[in-house]
């Protein structure tokens, strides 16, 4: 770095520019011009951290915590039998080691990536369009209800969004400067992390290749990036990095029947033509719109489609940023929708990472309308923000007194040494284990079916998290203890524990969040000896 020359005191000659000082001054000027980013990030943090611990841990979250408690080697093996790759659970394992397994801690591991993703979205749109469009995208991303929701769950969806938006930024930098191979290195690392986080990363690969193919054949200035050896090598590197997991994926695919039998997959409702507009409503207001009049039900999806058309139509950029966002968000949603007619997987949380592109497209449309149709652009912005605020409110509407954690806390407070606790199914078991503060082993009731076959989970899906000594085929197999048994089941399913042993007498009954906790006193001779 060249040294600067000082101006002597009293010298009337104007001092020459000082490079270091100018850099500082330029940073301050830029900061003064871009101070709007802080309120956007603060807004993103507030809506994601508000009532972060209000809703109880549900069974998917409970499975995340349970899997993360194993060693890293065991997580690799057990995740191989689960429906998700292992990276998120490994990171959660380390996070809990540092910050504990309290609700605030474990949910913060999703909230923080969710907040970071808003900043990444601003960065991406700033690369693709104007600073105003980036500001609008930040506002709409901060309030996107589906992103807020899954930034508050102990699952991998917020983390996946961070990886994929980060990878898309790296792709844009490389498209603009194809000789800078470091951008492809960053791209490969981020996409590899995404593949080890969720299998739906494959949709992002499709969207990026589709974008590069589209700009290769576009009229006018054609971008030939898809033909560059560096791009192919980057994708080959991703594939090679994923090879260690491929045998596990192949094994998992071969055991789809076991996963369906244990209800870990195949539980999704079949899709219909109205499922697509319903998904748009779910993403934006956390309600599928099924009770709305037909005209209203179709208005929002059609309006969103029109705005996407505006963003594409008015895009005069060389790199076609609107097309990239279309490929990133709309194409994966449509692909999953079509595939779901064969095998239903059209689930909101699976698509949340791709829904992040929708508010960015809306921001581009508003920005491009603002020049000639200012009032219309502002009206669209106000309406879209209003729709999102409805979704944020719906997401934040939680009755803290009607939560499963309240029910388990009741049992914890009234538990006496020697009490037995039995849950009726895996759904309640995975949540209950997280909240249990007693020394009792929580048992999972697995009575034989009417035809005599066992209802115990198999070694795939959630069954990989549970040891055999947890299962209880008959209530009479409970060992003797205090003579008291807590049964935890579904409130509207009175036959969760059909045919109770003779002589059991109900002593108390508590219910919350659709579940019940019933305390029974057993006769003195009930149960097997031993603790």
């Amino acid at each position: 770095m060249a040294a600067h020359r000082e101006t002597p005191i009293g010298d009337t000659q104007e001092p020459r520019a000082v490079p270091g000082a100018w850099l500082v001054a330029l940073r301050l000027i830029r900061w003064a011009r871009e101070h709007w980013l802080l309120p956007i990030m603060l807004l993103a943090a507030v809506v994601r951290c508000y009532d972060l611990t209000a809703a109880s841990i549900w069974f998917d979250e409970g499975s995340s915590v349970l899997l993360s408690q194993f060693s890293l080697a065991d997580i690799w093996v057990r995740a191989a039998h689960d429906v998700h790759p292992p990276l998120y659970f490994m990171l959660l394992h380390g996070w809990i080691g540092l910050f504990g397994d309290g609700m605030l801690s474990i949910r913060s591991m999703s909230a923080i990536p969710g907040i970071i993703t808003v900043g990444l979205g601003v960065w991406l749109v700033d690369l693709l369009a104007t600073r105003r469009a980036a500001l609008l995208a930040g506002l709409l991303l901060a309030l996107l209800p589906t992103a807020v929701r899954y930034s508050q769950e102990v699952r991998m969806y917020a983390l996946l969004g961070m990886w994929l938006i980060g990878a898309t930024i790296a792709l844009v930098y490389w498209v603009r400067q194809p000789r800078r191979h470091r951008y492809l290195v960053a791209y490969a690392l981020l996409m590899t992390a995404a593949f080890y986080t969720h299998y739906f990363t494959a949709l992002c690969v499709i969207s990026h290749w589709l974008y590069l193919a589209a700009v290769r054949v576009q009229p006018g200035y054609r971008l030939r990036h898809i033909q560059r050896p560096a791009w192919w090598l980057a994708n080959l590197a991703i594939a090679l990095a994923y090879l260690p997991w491929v045998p596990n994926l192949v094994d998992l695919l071969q055991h789809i029947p076991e996963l369906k039998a244990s209800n870990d997959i195949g539980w999704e409702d079949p899709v219909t033509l109205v499922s697509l507009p319903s998904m748009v409503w779910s993403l934006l207001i956390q309600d599928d719109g099924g009770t709305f009049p037909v005209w209203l039900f179709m208005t929002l999806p059609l309006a969103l489609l029109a705005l996407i058309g505006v963003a594409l139509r008015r895009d005069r950029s060389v790199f076609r940023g609107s097309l990239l966002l279309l490929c990133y968000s709309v194409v994966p949603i449509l692909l999953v929708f079509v595939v779901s007619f064969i095998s239903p997987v059209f689930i909101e949380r699976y698509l949340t990472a791709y829904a992040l592109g929708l508010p960015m497209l809306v921001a581009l449309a508003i920005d491009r309308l603002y020049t000639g149709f200012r009032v219309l652009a502002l009206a669209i912005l106000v309406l879209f923000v209003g729709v999102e605020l409805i979704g944020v409110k719906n997401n934040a509407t939680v009755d803290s007194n009607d939560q499963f954690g309240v029910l388990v806390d009741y049992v914890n407070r009234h538990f006496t040494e020697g009490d037995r606790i039995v849950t009726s199914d895996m759904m309640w078991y995975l949540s209950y284990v997280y909240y249990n503060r007693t020394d009792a082993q929580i048992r999972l009731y697995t009575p034989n079916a009417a035809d005599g076959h066992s209802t115990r989970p198999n070694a795939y899906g959630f069954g990989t998290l549970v040891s055999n000594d947890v299962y209880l085929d008959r209530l009479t197999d409970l060992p003797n203890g205090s003579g008291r048994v807590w049964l935890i089941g579904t409130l509207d399913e009175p036959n969760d524990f059909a045919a109770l042993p003779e002589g059991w007498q109900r002593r108390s009954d508590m219910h919350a969040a659709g579940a019940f906790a019933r305390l029974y006193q057993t006769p003195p001779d009930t149960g097997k000896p031993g603790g």
Side-chain angles (χ1 to χ4, degrees):
M1 180 182 294
H4 65 270
R5 293 163 49 181
E6 296 181 359
T7 303
I9 296 175
D11 193 339
T12 57
Q13 183 180 5
E14 187 174 341
R16 295 187 180 187
V18 181
W22 271 114
L23 287 175
V24 174
L26 287 173
R27 287 193 186 103
L28 290 175
I29 292 171
R30 185 178 181 184
W31 170 249
R33 192 171 69 246
E34 299 180 358
H35 64 278
W36 49 264
L37 184 60
L38 260 183
I40 287 176
M41 298 303 290
L42 181 61
L43 175 63
V46 168
V47 296
R48 283 157 181 77
C49 295
Y50 177 76
D51 268 357
L52 188 60
T53 62
S56 285
I57 296 292
W58 68 298
F59 62 90
D60 265 11
E61 294 181 287
S63 72
S64 295
V65 178
L66 197 55
L67 181 51
S68 70
Q69 291 175 352
F70 293 98
S71 67
L72 294 182
D74 280 344
I75 290 175
W76 179 276
V77 173
R78 293 175 187 272
H81 287 182
D82 193 21
V83 294
H84 298 295
L87 181 58
Y88 172 79
F89 308 110
M90 290 178 167
L91 293 176
L92 184 60
H93 173 90
W95 184 272
I96 290 175
L98 290 172
F99 305 109
D101 64 353
M103 282 184 67
L104 180 61
S105 167
I106 58 179
R107 283 188 170 159
S108 292
M109 195 184 143
S110 293
I112 292 172
I115 296 166
I116 292 173
T117 301
V118 174
L120 292 176
V122 173
W123 187 357
L124 176 57
V125 176
D126 193 39
L127 290 172
L128 299 176
T130 67
R131 190 59 48 85
R132 181 174 60 206
L135 184 155
L136 294 172
L139 173 63
L140 299 181
L141 277 169
L143 296 175
L144 182 63
T146 190
V148 173
R149 174 177 178 178
Y150 292 105
S151 295
Q152 296 182 321
E153 289 199 357
V154 192
R155 297 296 280 171
M156 67 292 297
Y157 307 110
L159 184 66
L160 177 66
M162 186 180 75
W163 297 142
L164 296 184
I165 296 298
T168 305
I169 291 172
L171 176 65
V172 172
Y173 270 107
W174 177 72
V175 168
R176 293 172 64 166
Q177 302 178 66
R179 295 184 184 278
R180 300 288 181 88
H181 293 159
R182 64 174 179 266
Y183 298 130
L184 282 182
V185 172
Y187 177 83
L189 290 174
L190 289 164
M191 288 300 289
T192 299
F195 266 111
Y196 276 101
T197 299
H198 200 280
Y199 294 122
F200 271 36
T201 298
L203 297 170
C204 188
V205 173
I206 293 172
S207 71
H208 288 166
W209 277 84
L210 183 61
Y211 163 71
L212 292 180
V215 295
R216 171 64 182 85
V217 299
Q218 68 179 338
Y221 188 79
R222 298 183 178 184
L223 304 175
R224 303 176 184 274
H225 295 69
I226 198 170
Q227 298 171 224
R228 288 181 173 268
W231 171 248
W232 288 79
L233 288 174
N235 283 268
L236 177 61
I238 295 169
L240 290 175
Y242 198 61
L243 274 181
W245 188 253
V246 170
N248 296 323
L249 175 59
V250 172
D251 180 69
L252 184 68
L253 293 175
Q254 292 173 341
H255 289 85
I256 292 295
E258 285 90 334
L259 288 166
K260 288 185 175 181
S262 60
N263 210 35
D264 287 87
I265 64 171
W267 51 267
E268 302 90 345
D269 293 329
V271 297
T272 64
L273 292 179
V274 300
S275 298
L276 187 57
S278 286
M279 179 61 72
V280 173
W281 281 104
S282 295
L283 295 170
L284 294 179
I285 72 166
Q286 297 296 282
D287 186 303
D288 64 8
T291 61
F292 297 165
V294 174
W295 66 268
L296 178 60
F297 179 73
M298 295 304 301
T299 296
L300 180 62
L302 291 176
L304 183 61
L305 183 63
L307 289 173
I308 293 172
V310 169
L312 288 169
R313 181 75 175 174
R314 291 174 172 256
D315 190 347
R316 301 291 185 266
S317 65
V318 173
F319 300 108
R320 304 289 290 171
S322 299
L323 181 60
L324 172 60
L325 292 178
L326 176 76
C327 292
Y328 175 83
S329 58
V330 177
V331 169
I333 292 173
L334 291 178
L335 279 175
V336 176
F337 174 64
V338 172
V339 169
S340 291
F341 281 95
I342 302 171
S343 179
V345 286
F346 201 52
I347 308 300
E348 178 194 351
R349 55 183 177 272
Y350 296 167
L351 298 170
T352 292
Y354 298 104
L356 295 169
L358 298 178
M360 297 187 215
L361 283 166
V362 172
L364 292 181
I366 294 173
D367 177 56
R368 288 162 185 168
L369 285 172
Y370 188 79
T371 303
F373 306 93
R374 183 168 299 186
V375 174
L376 176 60
L378 292 175
I380 292 171
L381 175 62
V382 170
L383 288 173
F384 202 86
V385 168
V387 168
E388 288 191 321
L389 287 174
I390 292 172
V392 171
K393 180 180 181 297
N394 289 340
N395 186 62
T397 303
V398 176
D399 184 353
S400 58
N401 294 317
D402 187 27
Q403 297 294 316
F404 188 70
V406 175
L407 181 145
V408 183
D409 182 64
Y410 173 85
V411 178
N412 289 337
R413 287 185 286 107
H414 294 85
F415 182 88
T416 62
E417 187 176 356
D419 284 4
R420 308 302 178 190
I421 302 174
V422 185
T423 57
S424 64
D425 59 37
M426 185 68 78
M427 177 179 71
W428 299 125
Y429 174 83
L430 293 171
S431 299
Y432 199 102
V433 169
Y434 175 77
Y435 289 103
N436 179 45
R437 298 295 179 267
T438 72
D439 60 358
Q441 181 189 34
I442 312 305
R443 306 295 296 271
L444 177 58
Y445 186 48
T446 53
N448 289 339
D451 60 4
H453 79 268
S454 173
T455 62
R456 291 187 177 190
N458 52 58
Y460 284 81
F462 290 144
T464 191
L465 304 176
V466 181
S467 57
N468 285 330
D469 60 344
V470 167
Y471 301 129
L472 182 71
D473 297 337
R474 292 175 296 274
L475 292 175
T476 52
D477 289 342
L478 282 169
N480 285 323
S482 65
R484 305 195 327 164
V485 179
W486 295 89
L487 300 184
I488 314 298
T490 306
L491 191 61
D492 58 359
E493 294 289 342
N495 295 323
D496 269 4
F497 296 98
L500 293 179
E502 186 177 353
W504 284 36
Q505 297 180 357
R506 190 188 302 183
R507 296 303 187 191
S508 68
D509 194 334
M510 196 273 183
H511 59 84
F516 65 75
R518 291 173 182 156
L519 174 63
Y520 286 87
Q521 183 70 49
T522 66
D525 58 348
T526 296
K528 295 184 177 180

